[in-house]
Amino acid sequence: MPEVPIHPYAVTAGEVVPGDLFALSQEEAERQQWCVVMHTLPESPETIRVTLRPPLGGLDREAVLAREQQVFVAGRRVDVAAVPAVSSPRLDSVEFHDGDRVTRLRAVDPEGVEVTYERRWGAWHRDLDDRAGEKVSDDVVRGWAADADRAGYVVRHHSRPTREASWAGPRRVVVTGLGALTPLGVGVDELWRGLLDGRHGIRELEGEEFQELPVRIAGVVPVDPGMMLSRAAARRMNRAAQFAVLAAREAWGDAGFATGGTRESGLDPERVGVSLGAILGDASVLVGGDRKLRDKGPRGVSPLTTPMTVPSQAASQISLDLHITGEARTVTSACASGTEAIGEAIDRIRYGRVDVALAGGAEAVVTPAIMASFAAMRALSDLGLEDGATPSRPFAKDRAGFVNAEGAGLLVLEAEEHARARGARIYCEAAGWGLSADAHHMAAPDPSGSGVALALRRAVRDAGGHVVDVVHVNAHATATVEGDLAEAGALRAVLGQGGGAGGGVPVTALKGHLGHLQGAAGGVEAVAAVLTLHNGVVPPTVGCTELDEEIALDVVTGEPRALPGNGDLVLSNSFGFGGHNAVLALRRVA
């Protein structure tokens, strides 16, 4: 259409000529309901026959008008040869599929813009990244098509594109094994059962070294991991590495590989990797070495102090234990470490660097100095255990801070074709991940939540999905006042409001069960997110007896809830001191 403003003015029907933008009445002109005069033909000395067509395309209709009848033209001329004659086909017998598109154009409006709707999860969405945006049903779309010609619209149905086989490109990554040691017990079964039962594993610290601390509660693994390893192996590992090796062995076996490692499983050790998150690993080794130096002098310090202090010890011990030579990386990005380590492993498999990876996090920082430091920051919960309720209360109105904790959680990630070739059981797809940085403060979160929102959007996009695909979020939610509010604000900004008649994305937070496992949190919570997808059940958030009204999310509390079926993406969030934000996206596998 020519870029000339529309200024309706009255003329007589006898004055109109082909190319005029025409409206029968002032009301039609105000509603932007125009036609193009395609032909004029004298009907009688008093009347004229005009052929009219919507300016953006449609079917012709004829009208016989009195020559002196007042009509309106737009002050804009149109090339009649450029106005297409089109009809919208009915869609009554068309079978719709997710991925189909429908375009709808109000053809009687010269400035009309074609609107596209895409079908996802049985509904047609105008914007797949706006959960609260306009969506309509199949019946509405069929009605649009049936009524289009009469109503002055052009409606087109476009079948979903056929995917062509590609000889190269990123590989799909799947989860085939799980392993965990947590305050709820040893193994994935103990973790999952405890989450569904609403139990917590937070205890009072009984050691003499903790007695003078202002806060003496933590989430500790209820067994000595060293007792589950050979004595020779245990004495060469710090506590975090012991957690990691035991969780790695469980995940390795759960994936269907042979006890012992890569060679026993018939794998090329160069095509297997380790990617582990840790902040400190085990701070007690360095503290203990310093104490021995002061008490006994240089000869009292063990030669194992340095190799057992570095955060990378857990990753190296897994590679030693299972004879993995492809790579053994350690990611240190505060409390986002475990999730970021999983994301790094996804990319290493995607782009062919390795075929299999053990990924997650391990941490053992329930030590007097770390506890005292967190207490001095006023970050720890000062709620007690007297009433049997957890002192870690994510999203709750009475939340008072996080509870320090320890443990390990690992996934076996595998290229899909590798997993299917060996007949492996597949839990879900490790579909994507997203990172961002707050650039706000060394410890406090950005209250706007903008950095978190960016990581959420990037994870969904990296997974090749849309916001409407998200069916559940495993929240970071440490039970700090500022942190929970920032995360909740970001989730609302990306996913829309929760609760209410319109529902929302169900959100759960596991730190009420476990405490905050620091660098291992992302690994353990990823294990839970995988099980949520695989089993179709969302665990409840314990400790949240009364939801803070400012959270405004659909937080699952009380009892487990069935995972909704109108989506296939689960997000697992991890955020750390210094503004580190990491989000993992997992997809249901049919």
Side-chain angles (χ1 to χ4, degrees):
M1 297 295 297
E3 296 298 322
V4 176
I6 293 178
H7 293 300
Y9 61 91
V11 297
T12 63
E15 295 177 275
V16 300
V17 296
D20 278 344
L21 272 178
F22 171 96
L24 273 173
S25 66
Q26 179 84 36
E27 291 75 18
E28 284 189 357
E30 291 173 351
R31 293 198 304 268
Q32 295 296 312
Q33 187 173 332
W34 298 92
C35 287
V36 175
V37 177
M38 304 297 291
H39 303 286
T40 62
L41 184 70
E43 181 79 4
S44 72
E46 292 79 22
T47 59
I48 183 172
R49 180 182 295 273
V50 293
T51 301
L52 305 172
R53 184 181 298 171
L56 300 185
L59 295 181
D60 290 348
R61 64 183 177 90
E62 293 188 340
V64 177
L65 307 173
R67 290 179 179 273
E68 298 304 317
Q69 179 179 338
Q70 179 177 279
V71 294
F72 290 82
V73 293
R76 180 190 288 190
R77 301 298 302 282
V78 178
D79 179 4
V80 295
V83 182
V86 293
S87 176
S88 298
R90 295 181 68 91
L91 300 177
D92 297 344
S93 61
V94 174
E95 183 178 357
F96 295 139
H97 302 91
D98 280 7
D100 288 1
R101 290 181 301 111
V102 161
T103 58
R104 189 172 186 241
L105 173 66
R106 188 168 183 260
V108 295
D109 181 356
E111 298 173 340
V113 176
E114 189 173 66
V115 178
T116 300
Y117 295 78
E118 185 169 336
R119 195 174 189 269
R120 200 84 159 189
W121 308 111
W124 297 85
H125 298 260
R126 186 164 177 174
D127 183 351
L128 289 172
D129 288 316
D130 182 2
R131 294 186 65 89
E134 181 185 356
K135 63 180 178 181
V136 297
S137 67
D138 288 347
D139 289 342
V140 169
V141 169
R142 296 187 199 281
W144 285 348
D147 197 45
D149 292 343
R150 183 197 65 78
Y153 281 82
V154 174
V155 175
R156 289 285 182 267
H157 171 247
H158 308 271
S159 297
R160 60 186 176 189
T162 302
R163 292 184 178 179
E164 297 181 359
S166 175
W167 63 272
R171 300 189 296 179
R172 194 179 186 209
V173 182
V174 296
V175 180
T176 57
L178 305 173
L181 271 81
T182 74
L184 286 173
V186 176
V188 170
D189 287 346
E190 284 295 307
L191 169 65
W192 186 241
R193 189 158 46 245
L195 296 179
L196 296 184
D197 290 346
R199 291 188 285 109
H200 73 81
I202 297 169
R203 302 168 178 82
E204 185 169 355
L205 299 172
E206 297 178 350
E208 181 180 346
E209 67 273 25
F210 297 106
Q211 295 309 305
E212 301 302 318
L213 296 179
V215 176
R216 296 187 300 279
I217 54 170
V220 293
V221 174
V223 299
D224 178 359
M227 300 300 292
M228 302 175 68
L229 299 162
S230 70
R231 184 175 180 181
R235 68 183 295 271
R236 287 174 170 80
M237 299 183 201
N238 64 32
R239 186 173 173 87
Q242 292 172 358
F243 290 151
V245 167
L246 292 169
R249 288 179 180 179
E250 182 186 18
W252 189 257
D254 187 48
F257 294 125
T259 301
T262 54
R263 290 173 294 195
E264 292 80 358
S265 302
L267 298 176
D268 179 355
E270 296 182 6
R271 299 296 301 167
V272 183
V274 179
S275 184
L276 212 68
I279 302 175
L280 297 174
D282 184 350
S284 65
V285 176
L286 185 59
V287 173
D290 183 68
R291 183 180 296 116
K292 288 177 181 178
L293 176 63
R294 286 185 279 108
D295 293 345
K296 299 181 180 181
R299 292 184 180 274
V301 179
S302 167
L304 296 176
T305 300
T306 297
M308 290 176 64
T309 295
V310 293
S312 59
Q313 217 235 0
S316 65
Q317 288 292 344
I318 292 173
S319 73
L320 285 165
D321 191 67
L322 297 174
H323 192 68
I324 294 169
T325 64
E327 56 190 39
R329 70 175 58 240
T330 299
V331 175
T332 300
S333 53
C335 305
S337 300
T339 297
E340 186 172 340
I342 295 170
E344 293 281 2
I346 290 171
D347 280 351
R348 300 299 286 174
I349 296 172
R350 271 178 175 172
Y351 299 107
R353 303 299 188 266
V354 294
D355 299 319
V356 181
L358 278 153
E363 202 81 78
V365 291
V366 182
T367 65
I370 298 298
M371 293 289 293
S373 174
F374 283 144
M377 295 172 65
R378 298 185 179 180
L380 294 181
S381 172
D382 58 0
L383 301 173
L385 294 164
E386 295 81 8
D387 60 358
T390 174
S392 175
R393 301 176 183 180
F395 295 138
K397 191 171 185 179
D398 62 347
R399 66 192 183 279
F402 74 84
V403 172
N404 194 23
E406 64 178 8
L410 276 84
L411 315 178
V412 172
L413 302 176
E414 202 167 342
E416 182 183 28
E417 62 267 29
H418 188 279
R420 294 200 183 279
R422 66 183 186 86
R425 178 265 329 278
I426 292 174
Y427 281 106
C428 65
E429 179 187 357
W433 63 302
L435 288 179
S436 71
D438 281 353
H440 173 73
H441 189 272
M442 67 177 292
D446 181 350
S448 74
S450 59
V452 171
L454 177 60
L456 289 164
R457 292 190 179 98
R458 283 178 169 172
V460 172
R461 187 162 60 245
D462 190 53
H466 297 277
V467 167
V468 297
D469 301 327
V470 178
V471 75
H472 168 57
V473 177
N474 189 309
H476 182 66
T478 61
T480 59
V481 174
E482 296 83 0
D484 286 9
L485 288 175
E487 182 177 9
L491 289 171
R492 293 195 305 270
V494 175
L495 303 177
Q497 297 288 330
V505 176
V507 175
T508 195
L510 306 184
K511 290 181 177 65
H513 300 265
L514 303 167
H516 188 353
L517 277 68
Q518 309 300 325
V524 170
E525 289 163 12
V527 169
V530 168
L531 291 171
T532 295
L533 259 181
H534 184 68
N535 295 317
V537 179
V538 181
T541 302
V542 301
C544 187
T545 304
E546 184 179 359
L547 181 68
D548 182 349
E549 293 178 356
E550 292 187 57
I551 296 299
L553 297 173
D554 181 14
V555 178
V556 179
T557 60
E559 299 292 332
R561 187 190 301 181
L563 186 71
N566 60 340
D568 63 355
L569 283 183
V570 164
L571 304 181
S572 183
N573 295 346
S574 293
F575 315 121
F577 285 161
H580 297 280
N581 304 312
V583 177
L584 175 66
L586 303 166
R587 176 175 283 117
R588 182 189 287 116
V589 174

